[in-house]
Structure formats: structure tokens, C-alpha cells
Amino acid sequence: MRDIHIAAAQFEARDADKDYNFGRIEALARQAAAAGAEIVSFHECCITGYTFLQELTRDQVAAMAEPVPGGPSTERLVALSRRLGVALLAGLVECDGDELRNTYVAVAPEGFVAKFSKLHEFISPHLSWGNEFRLFDLCGVRASILTCYDNNLVENPRIVTLRGAEVIFAPHVTGGLQSPMPGRGKIDKRLWDNRQRDPVSLRMEFEGPKGRGWLMHWLPTRAYENGVYYVFSNAVGVDHDTIKPGGAMILDPFGEIVVESHGLGDDVVVGLCTPEKIERSGGRRYLRARRPELYGELSEPLPPGQKPEVNPGWRLKGEGARDEGRGTSV
């Protein structure tokens, strides 16, 4: 790794409006590039919109899907990357043969670099799970991607770190959702609509347990326990029937915040990531202290007939509620 300025963005995407969303991607990427960023990261499914996918039929989801690479959105990202001279990461729905996937794309001025499909997908039954981790070089950085729920399982960032990741890009659409956790829940849309007249009330929601407060329980730990940089991007504002709290940030290998957005709207933040923190971090010492011979249970297959389960708190409707996993085991 080398010294590098990386940007994390947040914006209010419009459902199924790729042209509008690309306009926001371009504006924020230009802003980040002007501030010295070499890489700019956007949120999960930012090109297509996200939460509304849960309402769509398979044919409707497929109508928005594109091949990656070679599809129009990937080519448009490459062209923008070339014009601005920065690498870009953004999310969309991919068609891969008969499969539809929640995919995150990395491009550079030289062209397509990598793609990653979410391992633990749940927003739509028509989206298949990804089945592999992805490591790639981007602007002199060894990078990986874990999308939203993928970061909640501690094994995932640990594996990509063991494979050489120095920076983990973590695109999300999260926050402002029902949950058993005290203090969490939906954010009243009236607070968003009235944010200019009364910014304090909305900021309290965004920075409390419905948003930043919840993230701070676990997100810094992922960076700290592995000794990696974490680049968190998120939606902000109206996302289908929810309000998202943004909070784009970069965390260093000590789990400390390098830079973060407290904006109540579209925003991008740029932070300097430096290599010396990685080797000095506690997480790297812990990696060297591991005793894999004791961890056999971590690689044991699930019992016959049992599938992985993804149960986001907002989907729980009482004890025993289950959303069975689909697709290839990871």
C-alpha cells in the first residue's frame, strides 16, 4: 500500500432512475477529485436504487439488470473514470446468465477492474447470492469488497484480510430500520422533509441508535480486529419507504475515524490512508497470534438440509421468523 486519498460518498438515489443517479455520481466524483481523491466509493445499488427491489417481480428486476463488464452502466462508469482520472466503485443489478445479482463494480481510467456480488442477499428473492470473495489491485492498494450484511459476519472481513486486503470497501444501504435493538426504528419522513427548518431533530436521529450509534457498535471493530482500512458508503434520505442516515466514513486500522460525513444530504468525504498504520495496528498482531488448528468448527459444513439464514432485524416478525438462504453456500 502507499499513501492515497480515498473518498466515501452518500446520496439520495431515485428508484429505477439510472440517469439521475449517474448525475449524482458524477457530481460527487468531481467534488472528490477536486479535493484530491484517487478513488471514490458509492453505496450499494446506487445506480438502480435498492429497497424498492423488494416490491418487484422477477421480470421487473431483470429489466433493470445489465451484464458486468460490458453493460452500459459499467461502460459509463469507465468513461467517467477516464474523464476525471479517478477510480470509481458503484453498485447495480447484474444479469449473469440466468442469475440476477446485487453487484458492486470497480473501474479505473484504464477500464474495468473487478466486480463483487453480495454474499448474503435478502432484499429480493429474485437475486442470487454471490459465492466468492474478491481481491484486486486498485491504484496501488490491495482491495476487497463486502456489501452491507456481508460485513456483519466476522469471518468475511477476516478471510479477505488473510488473503491480503489492505482496504475493504463496504457499500451499504442501511439504518433507520425496525430492530429488536433498543432505540432503533424508522426515521420519520417529516423530519427529512423539514431538515432545513429543523436540522437538529434530524441530526439527532441520524447520529443516534437509528444510524451512527448503531454503526459504532460494530463497524470500527471490523477495521480494528483485522488491521485494515474500512471505506463505508451509504444512502441518505428517501429510499423507498425508509429514510437512510448517510454517515459516509473511512476508518483506519486502529478503528478510528479518519473522516466522516455529518451531512443531512448528498455529500462526499475524502481521507488520507497511509500504509504505516496497517503494520502497527493491533489487528495485524492478532492475525499473527492465530491458532488455526483450534478453529475446525469454523469450516465445518452446515448439517444436512440446513441452509444459511439472513434475518435482518426489520424483517423479524416475532420469534421463529426465518428467511432461508438461497443460492450457493459460501
Side-chain angles (χ1 to χ4, degrees):
M1 183 171 170
R2 62 178 179 84
D3 286 7
I4 186 169
H5 286 88
I6 300 176
Q10 61 186 47
F11 73 89
E12 185 180 27
R14 291 183 183 175
D15 297 345
D17 193 340
K18 294 181 182 180
D19 284 340
Y20 174 84
N21 295 335
F22 260 108
R24 300 311 303 143
I25 289 170
E26 178 169 358
L28 291 167
R30 285 188 182 279
Q31 183 179 332
E38 296 180 61
I39 303 173
V40 190
S41 173
F42 295 90
H43 65 266
E44 172 185 19
C45 281
C46 59
I47 293 172
T48 56
Y50 178 70
T51 301
F52 84 113
L53 295 173
Q54 67 188 344
E55 308 288 349
L56 304 186
T57 67
R58 180 179 177 83
D59 287 345
Q60 289 171 324
V61 176
M64 288 187 298
E66 304 177 18
V68 177
S73 290
T74 305
E75 294 302 307
R76 194 169 180 177
L77 278 175
V78 170
L80 178 60
S81 174
R82 189 171 294 127
R83 288 199 303 274
L84 299 181
V86 299
L88 301 172
L89 298 97
L92 74 165
V93 178
E94 177 193 11
C95 55
D96 182 11
D98 293 331
E99 303 285 346
L100 302 172
R101 302 186 188 279
N102 177 348
T103 293
Y104 200 63
V105 182
V107 304
E110 298 76 27
F112 171 80
V113 175
K115 67 176 181 178
F116 170 78
S117 295
K118 189 174 183 177
L119 303 176
H120 302 275
E121 180 55 62
F122 59 84
I123 199 65
S124 168
H126 310 302
L127 295 175
S128 298
W129 289 19
N131 56 16
E132 60 183 330
F133 298 101
R134 192 73 73 185
L135 276 292
F136 54 96
D137 293 314
L138 187 67
C139 300
V141 171
R142 191 66 174 159
S144 189
I145 299 163
L146 293 171
T147 301
C148 202
Y149 202 95
D150 297 342
N151 295 280
N152 297 137
L153 284 81
V154 297
E155 295 87 350
N156 294 335
R158 175 53 54 90
I159 288 171
V160 297
T161 301
L162 288 171
R163 294 184 182 182
E166 299 164 321
V167 175
I168 296 176
F169 292 94
H172 280 65
V173 175
T174 196
L177 295 167
Q178 297 296 337
S179 169
M181 176 180 162
R184 293 198 67 195
K186 286 194 170 185
I187 296 169
D188 192 331
K189 185 175 182 294
R190 290 174 295 182
L191 295 177
W192 172 257
D193 293 340
N194 199 41
R195 64 191 181 279
Q196 294 183 354
R197 183 177 296 273
D198 180 17
V200 174
S201 295
L202 182 62
R203 186 171 293 112
M204 291 173 69
E205 291 283 83
F206 277 12
E207 301 201 356
K210 295 179 182 180
R212 187 182 188 276
W214 167 68
L215 287 171
M216 290 299 104
H217 280 297
W218 62 272
L219 185 61
T221 304
R222 297 295 177 268
Y224 172 80
E225 65 196 359
N226 293 295
V228 295
Y229 285 93
Y230 243 86
V231 182
F232 171 83
S233 52
N234 193 22
V236 69
V238 177
D239 178 62
H240 189 52
D241 60 347
T242 64
I243 302 298
K244 292 291 177 278
M249 70 177 77
I250 299 174
L251 297 132
D252 73 12
F254 300 114
E256 301 294 339
I257 295 171
V258 176
V259 65
E260 69 176 314
S261 174
H262 295 279
L264 302 182
D266 295 6
D267 196 12
V268 62
V269 291
V270 180
L272 175 64
C273 302
T274 62
E276 70 274 4
K277 289 183 179 180
I278 293 177
E279 191 55 35
R280 297 204 321 249
S281 68
R284 294 291 159 151
R285 296 198 306 274
Y286 307 150
L287 290 177
R288 292 190 290 270
R290 294 170 61 252
R291 297 184 60 191
E293 71 275 9
L294 302 178
Y295 310 151
E297 290 88 346
L298 290 176
S299 60
E300 288 182 358
L302 294 173
Q306 183 176 332
K307 297 179 180 180
E309 297 175 353
V310 177
N311 287 323
W314 57 267
R315 187 166 281 183
L316 296 176
K317 305 206 187 297
E319 282 195 47
R322 288 293 180 265
D323 177 26
E324 288 194 345
R326 304 175 304 280
T328 305
S329 173
V330 295

